[in-house]
Every structure is written in structure tokens, then in C-alpha cells.
Amino acid sequence: MRSYINGRQAVTSNDFIELAPGTPVELWLGVEGESEMERAARLDAARDILADNPGMPDDAIRIAACAIEDHAAELFNVVPLARPVSRRRPVRKEAAA
């Protein structure tokens, strides 16, 4: 089964994340190593997008809430890990001094 958002096919989870709001994730989260000028340009573009679509944050929150609700069982299926056992002998205080 194929999924399409705004006429484009979404294959990976990143495709869904990018296509649902209509912007790349990097626009909102930034990229490692970006310069101050790149950061300023990215934030300026983000402000313009939000000015043109003031309901976008609410839509993004709604999408995230639905995804959490739909996949809560998998998201919160936490399995405790065993703690490693130390094989060293405890140091006696008299021997350490």
C-alpha cells in the first residue's frame, strides 16, 4: 500500500515527517555545524512560513499527539536492562591509606 501526502509519495518515516507539515525537518531543528549566517537565514525562513500559516504549530502538535496515541504501546514498551556485575573486590579503607 502506498501513502501520498500532498501528491508526493511517503516511503520512510522521515518522508512523513517532512511532507506532513510541508517543510523539511532541518528547517525547524537546524543542522550540525551550521554557520551563524545559515542559522539566521533558516530562522528567517521559518518565521516567514509561520507568518503565512499561523495554524501550523497547532497542526504539528495534533499530528504528534495522534502518532503518540496510535503507537503508545510500542513507544512505552520499556524493558529494564540488567546491571553489569562488578568483579573487582572492594578496597578496604586501611589498605587505601
Side-chain angles (χ1 to χ4, degrees):
M1 184 167 144
R2 295 181 183 173
S3 298
Y4 290 89
I5 299 174
N6 294 330
R8 294 187 56 201
Q9 184 177 1
V11 178
T12 67
S13 58
N14 282 344
D15 290 343
F16 282 100
I17 292 169
E18 183 175 329
L19 293 172
T23 59
V25 176
E26 292 82 11
L27 176 68
W28 307 105
L29 302 180
V31 292
E32 190 174 333
E34 71 182 356
S35 69
E36 283 299 316
M37 191 162 46
E38 291 169 327
R39 182 177 189 273
R42 177 178 58 78
L43 294 176
D44 191 41
R47 279 190 218 62
D48 288 346
I49 290 170
L50 289 174
D52 291 343
N53 188 0
M56 187 178 210
D58 292 335
D59 294 342
I61 291 169
R62 192 175 307 106
I63 290 167
C66 288
I68 290 170
E69 185 177 312
D70 292 346
H71 300 286
E74 297 91 23
L75 290 172
F76 300 112
N77 186 13
V78 180
V79 178
L81 300 174
R83 291 182 178 251
V85 178
S86 175
R87 302 214 184 271
R88 296 187 308 173
R89 293 183 185 171
V91 177
R92 292 182 15 207
K93 288 186 180 180
E94 300 119 25

